[in-house]
Structure formats: structure tokens, C-alpha cells
Amino acid sequence: MARSARDRERYRPPEKWDYNRNWTEPGWPEAPLADQKKIWVRYVQNLYEILDRLRTKNPKLEIESCSGGGARVDLGILRRSDQVWPSDNTDALDRLSIQSGFTQAYTPHVMIAWVTDAPDWLHARATPLKFRFEVAMSGALALGADLNKWNDEDNALAAKMIALYKRIRPTVQNGKLYRLRSPDSDFSAVEYVAEDAHEPCCLHIFTHSASDGVFLLLSCRV
Amino acid sequence: MNPDATYRVETTDDALKGVEEISGLDLLHRGLQLSLRGDYDSAVIVFERLPSAASVSTTH
């Protein structure tokens, strides 16, 4: 369907800064050793300059930086981008630890969290779609799966999860994060609480390994 | 959590009703019992404090 001129004006495709090949032989032998090392600093300075230029030209441009992509997630890159990609590992179970570590330093607001296909490419681990959604709903939910492979049941679940996420998104992204149980155990839990007591707060619980018959008690911060 | 308040509780856990209203007192003393089982099970539970009857304005 053709976009109207107004839609075209509204839609500004986001920019993703990716970087999938690390330097193997940086520098040049003729230069003094101290200068050769400057390439790492110059790269970052030039990256910042390019992003600054893009921002100046189009202030509404959304920029996503890949942690492999910008080769960094830090306050400098966060000043110039809207969201960052914590890891290429999108396996939902691993992601619990990655997200727990990431949010020690940065807000869930900037933490892109994709629902991707299972089995995942790294471990060939098949996690349920609901689990993958609920892990990703702990950050900035996005879809990175092949939707052509989803059946009606998957689509219905996705619609339900996305609708729920839209309700809790302000709390997840801007609320207070409480770590009720670490991912280093058989189950984990995080809770997000809004500043306003009348805004929704939400509790996300995940089992990592079979814990049938175990009585678990969690105290929330509602 | 306010024991005098009522909360709208919405959950994706199969053991609980999708949406129900529960008093803060019940949540504090009885809590919620979930049915998470086995590997890679999960639930999102949303608590929303409802306006108290006293704070709801009415028009006639």
C-alpha cells in the first residue's frame, strides 16, 4: 500500500550503527608505536562525529547502536543514540543474565530486547515463545523473529503480549527496577515500580530449570 | 502495598484468572500462588492500584 505524503513525512526510518568485523591488523608499521595506538581513540571520536552530524541534520532520527556495532555501550554513545544492543546473544535464558548485568549500569529504557527465533543460533536451545516474550518485555521489547514461520497461535500470543507490554512500558522503561532474585539460581524475578502509586507495577518471574514442588516466596515492592 | 487499597491484578500465569481485583490485605497476607513448572516457564503479573471509593468523584 502506498504511503501518503503525510505518512512519509511522519515515518523516519531509524538508523542502526552496526559493526560486524573487528580490526585484525590496525595501525601501520611506519608510524611511531604511540601513534599507532591512536587508531582506537580516533575511531571513537570519528564515530561520535558522524552520529553528531546525523543528529544535527535530522534531530528526530532514531539511532540504535550495536554493542558490537559501536564497539561500545557507554555514556558517550548513549548521548548520541536512543537505544543500544546489549549482545548478539538473544537466547532468552542467557539474556536474563545479560540484562541483569546491563541494567546494573544502564536503564532498561535503552536496552533493546528482541524476541528471536528458537532454537537460537548459539545454543540451539528451544525456549517457549511466551518465555522469550516475557524476557524481552523486561527491556525495550522488539521483534527479530521470522514472522512468516509463526502460526495463528503464535500470532495470537504475540498480539496479547504486545498489548500488555504497551500498558507496562512506561513502568518498565522509566520506573524503579528491583532485583528480587538473581538469574544465578533456578528461578529469577525482577519487579518494576512506577513513581506514581496509581501507575501499574509489574513482576516478571522466570524458571530456569525444573523447580516443581518447591515452595517459593517472593516479597514484592508494590 | 496499601492494605486498605484494592488492586487490579493481571497475569499471564495459567493458574490465576487473567484479571481480578484483590485487596491489598489479601495480597499482603495470602499473596498469589503461581503455577510455574519446569524449564523456561514464566509469568508477568501487573498490579494496578484502583482509586479508592472516597477518591472517586461522582456527578449527578
Side-chain angles (χ1 to χ4, degrees):
Chain A
M1 187 172 67
R3 290 177 187 275
S4 67
R6 189 176 173 188
D7 284 347
R8 283 198 297 274
E9 174 59 27
R10 279 182 177 172
Y11 178 69
R12 297 172 189 274
E15 176 82 23
K16 174 157 180 166
W17 190 271
D18 216 331
Y19 173 98
N20 285 326
R21 188 189 187 285
N22 285 306
W23 299 328
T24 47
E25 295 177 357
W28 49 99
E30 294 79 12
L33 189 60
D35 286 349
Q36 290 183 34
K37 292 179 181 176
K38 286 180 182 172
I39 192 169
W40 303 101
V41 177
R42 292 281 179 83
Y43 165 74
V44 175
Q45 289 171 337
N46 288 338
L47 171 63
Y48 286 172
E49 187 184 334
I50 289 169
L51 296 180
D52 287 341
R53 277 195 218 167
L54 289 169
R55 278 274 191 222
T56 303
K57 192 174 178 182
N58 188 350
K60 292 185 177 176
L61 180 68
E62 288 182 25
I63 298 176
E64 177 184 324
S65 179
C66 197
S67 59
R72 59 201 303 102
V73 174
D74 60 21
L75 296 179
I77 206 76
L78 285 170
R79 187 177 172 190
R80 295 165 171 87
S81 57
D82 300 281
Q83 292 174 318
V84 292
W85 183 236
S87 171
D88 280 345
N89 180 357
T90 57
D91 168 61
L93 186 62
D94 282 354
R95 201 74 185 190
L96 290 171
S97 298
I98 292 168
Q99 294 181 173
S100 177
F102 185 94
T103 54
Q104 300 282 343
Y106 308 110
T107 167
H109 184 90
V110 300
M111 183 176 71
I112 284 275
W114 278 10
V115 175
T116 52
D117 292 318
D120 71 287
W121 62 271
L122 190 58
H123 306 294
R125 181 159 38 216
T127 50
L129 183 59
K130 179 172 178 287
F131 185 83
R132 280 177 274 148
F133 256 103
E134 292 181 339
V135 171
M137 286 162 68
S138 305
L141 171 68
L143 296 183
D146 183 353
L147 301 184
N148 292 318
K149 293 180 180 173
W150 285 15
N151 58 31
D152 290 346
E153 192 179 340
D154 295 335
N155 289 330
L157 176 66
K160 182 179 164 187
M161 289 296 172
I162 291 168
L164 178 60
Y165 182 73
K166 285 181 176 177
R167 285 191 47 235
I168 63 175
R169 179 167 50 194
T171 304
V172 169
Q173 294 194 5
N174 303 317
K176 288 182 180 173
L177 166 60
Y178 293 94
R179 304 164 204 281
L180 303 186
R181 177 106 170 177
S182 159
D184 299 331
S185 54
D186 55 350
F187 83 104
S188 62
V190 288
E191 186 183 11
Y192 302 87
V193 179
E195 291 287 343
D196 181 346
H198 293 285
E199 289 296 310
C201 77
C202 46
L203 174 65
H204 300 207
I205 305 176
F206 309 97
T207 65
H208 312 159
S209 57
S211 55
D212 293 5
V214 178
F215 181 75
L216 307 167
L217 184 63
L218 276 177
S219 297
C220 301
R221 304 290 188 99
V222 178
Chain B
M1 178 160 284
N2 182 346
D4 299 324
T6 303
Y7 293 83
R8 179 181 182 274
V9 180
E10 181 176 354
T11 174
T12 61
D13 184 71
D14 294 336
L16 301 172
K17 294 174 187 172
V19 180
E20 56 185 325
E21 291 181 9
I22 306 175
S23 73
L25 197 64
D26 268 357
L27 286 171
L28 279 169
H29 292 286
R30 292 170 51 195
L32 295 173
Q33 191 164 352
L34 305 177
S35 70
L36 300 183
R37 289 190 177 279
D39 296 351
Y40 320 134
D41 202 355
S42 56
V44 171
I45 305 159
V46 183
F47 300 90
E48 205 164 358
R49 185 170 156 182
L50 298 176
S52 64
S55 66
V56 175
S57 62
T58 55
T59 53
H60 297 283

